Amino acid sequence: MGKHTEQREQKAEATTFMATNGRRQVEKDDDDFVDVDDSSLQTNQANYAWEEEYKRSWDVLQEDEHGSLAGVVNSLQKAAKRKRQLRDTDPIQRGIIRHLFILIDLSNAMQEKDLRPSRLSLTFTYLEAFIAEYFDQNPISQIGLIGTKDGLAEKLTELSGNPTDHIKALKMKKFMETGGEPSLQNALELARNSLIHVPAHGSREILVIMGSLTTTDPGNIHDTIARLMQDNIRASVIALAAEVQVLKFLSTQTKGTFGVAMNEGHYRDLLFEVIPPTAITTTKASANLVQMGFPARCNDSAATLCACHGKLTLGGYKCPQCGSKLCDIPTECDICNLTLVSSPLLARSYHHLFPVENFVEVPWKDAAMTTACFSCQKTFLSPHKVSVQLQSTTDAGRYQCKLCEKTFCTDCDVFIHDVLHNCPGCLSQPRRRAGGVIA
Amino acid sequence: MTSVITSVCLLNYKDDSNLLVIVIDTNPFEWEHPSAPLKLNLALKHILAFMNAHLAGRHDNRLAVIASHVGASKFLYPTLNEPTPGSKVQTKKDANVYQVFKVVNDAVLTGIAKLLQDPRPTLEEKDLGSSKIAASLSLGLCYINQALKSDGMGHVKPRILVLTVSPDSSSDYIPIMNCIFSAQKANIPIDVCKIWGEDAVFLQQAAHITEGIYMRPDDPRGLLQTLMFSFLPDMFSRSYLHLPGQDEVDFRAACFCHKRIVDIGFVCSVCLSIFCSFSPVCSTCRTKFAFQPLLPSARRLGAKAGASNPGSPRPSSSSTPSAS
Ligand SMILES: [Zn+2]
Ligand SMILES: [Zn+2]
Ligand SMILES: [Zn+2]
Ligand SMILES: [Zn+2]
Ligand SMILES: [Zn+2]
Ligand SMILES: [Zn+2]
């Protein structure tokens, strides 16, 4: 690791990239020094938090002709639901074993306070949540953190599948010090050096979080980008200041995504978009069946030697193939090389494979057939108690599963599709033979 | 002993009501099996006493009871026509019984009697699986979700207790796992009492992951004692008690192809489906696998990929010779 850093230590002439704003695309030239033109930033419509108009959220709510808010609230709810219903319920191929390096800009530009409390502290706060959620959805994936400042790149954590290591590193004071200019090239090369060694069946990804508009590189960054493309590494970028040509180029060339954070909420959205496993594009040839073992946890009354450290320990996991005891999973058995994982970890991602079909809305005219939600026992609003006018502006709040024909309330509908991923109605029915059709 | 007393005192300070969702496995094939050490009606007496004890613990403790039958899963209490406890009750009053107890007991007993009266599930369904634990857990989680939503103060502390006699049904593997993770996310412990028989692998994992208690009583005939001493304390008092832990947790999974429980399996690198033997195509995501032992087919696949995608790469795969 020290070697990598040394390699990258030679500083080159500072290269500044032009911030473009849609209309002004400046050809990027490594040796040119271009000042950032602030005036061009303001021409666009309110993209940044400080450009936004003062909004009064209560103005959005307007009473309908009967002086009731029910219709408005309902349409807002509907809008939220529609967003959810856009969800794809087709099982698609996703690369679930992922390897991701997060490059964090630790330059002075991160001290800017346009994102509150500051770009840096907001980034660290969001990253903590990001890491927890990432491992929730990508259970056997790995993350590594790289920081860049003073023209150097440094690994904050190695690529590993243990969220607590990364979160601990993010909490360390020494990693939060900023200084000088970032070096995009050094950081990318550092990540690349680690990523080219990961097995071919996993994805290789880089996420760049950049606050600075400039980078200090030892060589031509286009060579690095070409090497990333060659090694099938996908780089996505979140810029905190403005759209920078070279960052956009990097992400488009490597088939990643690019986004400029406009405000705190938007930043979070951009970051969390990286979490769901990406749909597989080109790596089909490297897909394979991997043999894995699901060890049992054992608690011996006497201490025995573990196979991984050769230490006397009490508890551990027993390799189902050779019977040796290991301290922690996921790991590879040191004796027989079998990959050992805990099966619940794998199961965390199964809801991506078997999503629950979207429920259909029940119109008011059929609403009298059901009196209560099947899963939470909440009684529905009876259609006889709702006036015809109100019925025309609201929905009945009943949603039906097409497969089991059970009816659910709005809360349960959202809970079933977003959290639970099981249809209680379908599960409660007598089991049909596999693939059987419900009569 | 002192720890028990302090916990009781502290419990009085803590202002939260407990919502206990009990899932009762009513699988008639197990309960009416000649070798069953306990009959259902006797076990129900124990369970009813336990429910009453829970309700008596605090004035605002809440209860929901779900039956997990073969081929069906339904609420026993609260039932649809009697939505909330404490509301008007149709049953006849009995001067000698605390009214809340009576409502619950009647609802559970009539509900189970109704379930058992229904035409017996055919043997074929029994072969395909046991009782509907996954469905009952899903119902319970939806109920809890609604209860937490309508309780704005955040005082309700939910937990789930599964009383089961059935063996694992491996076709329920994924639904049970989904339930476990949503329970874990919402901090809802799932306690499991396997009244007799083999360990239930998936429910054992459920208790382990959600930090609930998994227990198999030494003698099923002493069910009430197990229930009272291990499963009655709420989460707050549990931190002061030394409750039975799990020495060994079995992390085996069920294969997707035959629903067999395996300890070594083949995992698809794209979708993480588990298979018990090698097959050239993943049945879940339809990925074709590069079958390495057969070199010609592997080369053909590689050539195809190279042709369709000229910009990328042989070098990358040659730089990782030890891949997979
Ligand atoms: Zn060890
Ligand atoms: Zn081994
Ligand atoms: Zn509901
Ligand atoms: Zn359904
Ligand atoms: Zn199989
Ligand atoms: Zn697959």
Side-chain angles (χ1 to χ4, degrees), chain A residues 220-261:
Chain A
N220 186 348
I221 190 142
H222 288 266
D223 297 343
T224 304
I225 296 178
R227 280 195 289 270
L228 292 177
M229 288 161 63
Q230 207 173 54
D231 294 333
N232 251 332
I233 298 175
R234 178 206 301 254
S236 300
V237 180
I238 299 174
L240 303 184
E243 190 172 310
V244 179
Q245 170 66 21
V246 72
L247 294 179
K248 187 157 191 184
F249 183 74
L250 164 71
S251 57
T252 45
Q253 288 297 304
T254 59
K255 301 191 180 70
T257 57
F258 179 83
V260 182

Side-chain angles (χ1 to χ4, degrees), chain A residues 11-125:
Chain A
K11 273 197 205 178
E13 210 180 316
T15 335
T16 310
F17 297 110
M18 178 69 193
T20 63
N21 199 23
R23 58 192 71 186
R24 285 192 57 188
Q25 291 271 328
V26 176
E27 274 300 304
K28 200 212 64 61
D29 193 332
D30 272 301
D31 304 316
D32 266 5
F33 189 96
V34 193
D35 270 318
V36 177
D37 188 359
D38 269 322
S39 62
S40 77
L41 288 176
Q42 273 146 25
T43 52
N44 233 341
Q45 61 276 69
N47 268 345
Y48 298 90
W50 36 268
E51 288 177 21
E52 249 170 53
E53 266 190 59
Y54 186 62
K55 264 195 215 129
R56 287 177 295 173
S57 50
W58 56 89
D59 280 354
V60 180
L61 289 177
Q62 239 141 37
E63 294 173 7
D64 60 13
E65 60 267 40
H66 309 290
S68 153
L69 282 174
V72 187
V73 172
N74 234 297
S75 62
L76 287 178
Q77 273 181 352
K78 263 189 177 171
K81 264 189 68 73
R82 217 168 284 138
K83 190 180 167 200
R84 178 190 67 66
Q85 275 173 351
L86 284 177
R87 272 190 188 192
D88 199 358
T89 57
D90 286 336
I92 51 158
Q93 298 187 342
R94 290 173 183 279
I96 284 176
I97 305 178
R98 304 170 66 188
H99 303 91
L100 171 72
F101 262 109
I102 305 177
L103 311 189
I104 312 165
D105 181 1
L106 294 176
S107 67
N108 284 334
M110 292 297 280
Q111 297 291 3
E112 291 282 339
K113 297 205 174 0
D114 54 352
L115 297 173
R116 277 163 298 246
S118 76
R119 287 180 185 173
L120 187 75
S121 59
L122 189 70
T123 302
F124 275 66
T125 321

Side-chain angles (χ1 to χ4, degrees), chain B residues 91-110:
Chain B
T91 44
K92 257 186 270 163
K93 290 213 170 185
D94 186 339
N96 295 320
V97 186
Y98 179 45
Q99 193 57 30
V100 180
F101 291 175
K102 185 169 164 50
V103 174
V104 175
N105 295 3
D106 287 352
V108 172
L109 287 176
T110 49

